[in-house]
Structures are given as structure tokens and as C-alpha cells.
């Protein structure tokens, strides 16, 4: 099946309209007509070549919401007409200890991601900036009724990537949680941590978005450009989720952790980060990382969002403005996720 898409022809080049081939619907596959696809900063790192060489032309997009148009003969979990979501994970081995535990994102044989991955049939995956996609049913999520679909798309990456560490490190009542960077991931981290009952502080470069941060559910908001912030908040937090797409001064943020606190990096800057062991040792602090979340946990997150009335704050755009949207993300001028209306690709 030949479908319309937006692709980067080569690393660092602007995205342009193209067509790509989607595989025939296999016995365990679902054909999805895409309604919306979110723009994640990972798409930008990837197409700019910041994470190393990738196969081009490359169609980014791993925050997809759409309607099931066809299911394979062996699919019992999804039906035609149903609204579904697809995130980063589109396949994994299903047999290793990570997969068996439901942590497919840590598949020991390597996960297959929505784009720029070699699928288990040897083809290269192409992402969601497209009109249709074919995905193994085991990686297709059910979208609960009652959430506006454009606001659901970003949950498939930004939502689960922040939900998973918040749960893993026990965000909840009585916990002090800080979120570094108020972009796509950051604004979901604020909403989710607040809904989990934690006390939430935003650490942003400036106070420009303070009003938004408080509206999203933060209890406090500080500018990291003000050195006073680091003295005032020293030793305060149980958990800090760092969503910044660039490298940060890790020791400065570690110093904000209480005894046994954890700084969890979900931001994935291309440059290495450095840590002074003493900052960790002095208060038994942890410096950790976390990758998206497993399929079961992603469904749990979607259900949690439906229950709490949460979606992303989105700006819906036409596909032809995707390059401008990238520039605005790079300038930290996103409020708080760009979402492509896939009908503009038809
Ligand atoms: P985003 O919307 O661009 O948000 C990043 C935020 O970081 C910005 O809004 C800005 O917030 C802050 N920031 C940007 N540049 C900065 C700098 N030089 N210094 C300090 N702060 C800066 O990006 P996103 O889509 O949320 O993604 C964030 C990062 O997470 C990316 O690196 C992405 O690849 C990664 N990611 C990882 C996973 C995973 O599984 N671990 C999943 C998805 C994305 P303020 O304006 O508030 O300062
Ligand atoms: Zn993403």
C-alpha cells in the first residue's frame, strides 16, 4: 500500500512530502488510518543526525492516534472502527526477561522502534507523519473514550516517558517532585505527577511560562537562570525528572535532592553528561535514566489519563508547516506539543 508521508531526505535536511510503502496486513497486524501524529524532540535529534547515522529518507513520528481500518485474520484484540494509539515501540522479541516482565522497551534483543529501526521482517520502519501505518496488534494501544484524540497523541511518547519514571520512583502524596524543562515531556510530567498526588516544582530556564506551569498543576516554579534557585532548593526533592534536550550541569541538580533522592534523565542530549561522585555519595543519591515504558504500562497510563481527564496541551498544525514547528521546538517555543493533523497529508 502506497501512502502519503512527510520525510527527511537526508540528515539535517527539511522534511518534504513523499510517498512510502506500507506492508500488507499480516495475520497479527492492524492497519491504522492516522488522525494525528505528535512531534517529539527525539524526531528532531534523529533527523538532524544528532544521535548518529540513520537510514534516509526517514519519516519520523512515534506519537500516533488513529482509527483501525483493517485487522489480520489472527487479531482478536482490536476491531475495525476502534480508535487506537501507537508509540515508539512497534516490536520486540517477546521472549527475553525484559519482554516477559512487560518492559519491552528494554528488550535484550533490541526493540523495534516506530521509525529508523530494522523490523523483524528485515524492513526499515517508517513513522507516523503519514496517513496510514501497519503495526503488530501487540503494540497497538486502546484509546479510552472521552479524550480529544489530538491531545492523546503526545501521551504515546511524552506521556508514557514521564509516567513510567514517576511510577517507578514512587511519585505520590508526600513526595517532592521537580520537573526540569517545561516542553512536551515536561508539561506531561507536571500534569501526571500532580494527578498522582505529589508536590510538583517546575525548574525552567526562565519564569516566562510560570503561569502555564501553575495552571498545569505545579505547586511552585523556579528559574534555573537564577543562581539563588539552587541555594533555596538545596536538598529539597525526592525525585527530579530531567526532560531537557540539551546537556545540563548534573551536579547542580543533584544538589537539590534529599537523602536517597533520584535524578532521572529522560532528556537524551547527544553530548555526554558528567557527574561528580561526591555529589552522589554524600547523600546516597541516584542518577538514573529511563526509556519510554512497556506496552502494559502505556495502556495503564492512557487509562489513568482518561480517569483524571488528562491530555496534552497541543497546537494542531498542517503537515506543510512541520519544519517551522521544528524550529519553534528548538527555540523552546512550544506550548506544549505540536501535533500534525494527518488529514493535511491526504
Ligand atoms: P521539548 O519539547 O523541546 O522540551 C525540552 C525543554 O527543555 C524545553 O522546552 C526547555 O524548557 C528545556 N530546554 C531546552 N533547551 C535547553 C537548554 N539548552 N538548557 C536548559 N533547558 C533547555 O522536548 P521533548 O519532546 O519534551 O523532549 C525532551 C528530551 O527528551 C529530548 O532530548 C528527547 O529526545 C528526549 N526523549 C526521551 C525519551 C525517553 O524515552 N527517555 C522519550 C521522548 C523524548 P524550558 O523552556 O522550560 O527551560
Ligand atoms: Zn518521543
Amino acid at each position: 500500500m502506497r501512502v502519503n508521508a512527510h520525510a527527511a531526505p537526508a540528515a539535517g535536511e527539511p522534511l518534504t512530502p513523499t510517498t512510502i510503502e506500507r506492508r500488507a496486513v499480516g495475520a497479527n497486524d492492524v492497519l491504522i488510518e492516522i488522525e494525528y501524529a505528535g512531534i517529539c524532540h527525539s524526531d528532531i535529534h534523529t533527523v538532524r543526525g544528532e544521535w548518529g547515522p540513520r537510514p534516509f529518507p526517514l519519516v519520523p513520528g512515534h506519537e500516533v492516534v488513529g482509527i483501525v481500518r483493517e485487522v489480520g485474520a489472527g487479531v482478536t484484540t482490536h476491531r475495525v472502527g476502534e480508535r487506537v494509539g501507537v508509540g515508539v515501540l512497534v516490536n520486540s522479541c517477546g521472549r527475553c526477561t525484559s519482554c516477559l516482565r512487560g518492559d519491552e522497551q528494554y528488550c535484550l534483543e533490541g526493540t523495534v522502534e516506530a521509525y529508523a529501526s530494522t523490523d523483524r521482517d528485515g524492513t526499515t520502519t517508517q513513522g507516523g507523519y503519514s496517513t496510514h501505518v501497519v503495526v503488530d496488534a501487540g503494540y497497538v494501544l486502546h484509546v479510552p473514550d472521552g479524550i480529544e484524540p489530538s491531545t492523546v497523541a503526545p501521551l504515546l511518547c511524552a506521556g508514557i516517558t514521564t509516567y513510567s519514571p514517576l511510577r517507578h520512583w514512587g511519585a505520590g502524596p508526600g513526595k517532592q517532585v521537580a520537573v526540569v524543562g517545561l516542553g512536551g515531556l515536561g508539561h506531561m510530567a507536571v500534569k501526571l505527577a500532580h494527578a498522582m498526588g505529589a508536590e510538583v516544582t517546575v525548574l525552567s530556564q526562565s519564569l516566562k511560562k510560570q503561569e502555564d506551569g501553575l495552571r498545569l498543576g505545579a505547586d511552585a516554579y523556579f528559574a534555573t537562570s537564577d543562581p539563588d534557585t539552587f541555594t533555596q532548593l538545596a536538598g529539597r526533592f525526592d525525585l527530579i525528572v530531567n526532560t531537557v534536550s540539551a546537556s545540563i550541569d548534573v551536579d547542580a541538580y543533584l544538589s537539590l535532592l534529599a537523602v536517597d533522592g533520584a535524578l532521572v534523565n529522560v532528556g537524551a542530549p547527544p553530548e555526554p553528561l558528567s557527574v561528580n561522585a561526591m555529589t552522589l555519595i554524600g547523600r546516597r543519591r541516584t542518577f538514573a535514566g529511563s526509556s519510554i515504558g512497556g506496552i502494559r504500562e502505556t495502556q495503564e497510563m492512557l487509562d489513568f489519563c482518561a480517569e483524571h481527564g488528562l491530555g496534552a496541551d497541543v497546537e494542531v498544525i498542517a503537515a506543510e508547516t512541520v519544519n517551522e514547528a521544528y524550529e519553534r521546538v528548538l527555540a523552546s517555543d512550544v506550548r506544549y506539543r505540536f501535533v500534525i493533523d494527518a488529514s493535511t497529508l491526504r
Side-chain angles (χ1 to χ4, degrees), residues 40 42 62-63 157 337:
C40 178
S42 300
H62 57 212
E63 293 185 339
C157 176
R337 200 58 141 183

Side-chain angles (χ1 to χ4, degrees), residues 6 131 317-320 340-346:
H6 254 56
T131 57
I317 61 162
E320 64 259 29
I340 298 168
D341 176 351
S343 71
T344 63
L345 283 157
R346 281 183 198 111

Side-chain angles (χ1 to χ4, degrees), residues 248-265:
I248 58 160
D249 179 350
V250 176
D251 289 302
Y253 290 88
L254 284 172
S255 74
L256 306 184
L257 290 173
V259 174
D260 284 331
L263 167 60
V264 181
N265 232 83

Side-chain angles (χ1 to χ4, degrees), residues 135-257:
V135 182
D136 184 294
Y139 301 82
V140 177
L141 287 308
H142 299 280
V143 173
D145 290 333
I147 332 181
E148 158 56 35
S150 62
T151 75
V152 173
L155 302 180
L156 278 308
C157 176
I160 185 58
T161 301
T162 49
Y163 182 89
S164 185
L166 288 168
R167 280 289 189 230
H168 188 82
W169 275 274
K175 294 286 169 137
Q176 291 283 345
V177 174
V179 175
V180 191
L182 195 66
L185 267 58
H187 97 291
M188 282 315 307
V190 171
K191 290 188 187 208
L192 290 164
H194 174 71
M196 289 173 190
E199 180 128 349
V200 187
T201 299
V202 174
L203 302 173
S204 180
Q205 293 168 94
S206 73
L207 294 178
K208 261 194 320 218
K209 297 179 274 190
Q210 182 170 24
E211 215 172 287
D212 286 352
L214 299 176
R215 172 180 56 79
L216 294 166
D219 302 282
Y221 200 106
F222 289 84
T224 53
S225 51
D226 180 355
D228 236 24
T229 292
F230 290 88
T231 28
Q232 220 178 319
L233 299 178
R236 161 96 53 114
F237 300 106
D238 301 298
L239 172 62
I240 301 176
V241 179
N242 173 30
T243 75
V244 174
S245 48
S247 55
I248 58 160
D249 179 350
V250 176
D251 289 302
Y253 290 88
L254 284 172
S255 74
L256 306 184
L257 290 173

Side-chain angles (χ1 to χ4, degrees), residues 91-95 107 109-112 118-123 139:
N91 223 326
S92 63
C93 82
R95 293 179 308 265
C107 175
E109 289 190 19
T111 54
V112 180
T118 304
D119 208 341
R120 305 191 78 75
D121 64 4
T123 58
Y139 301 82

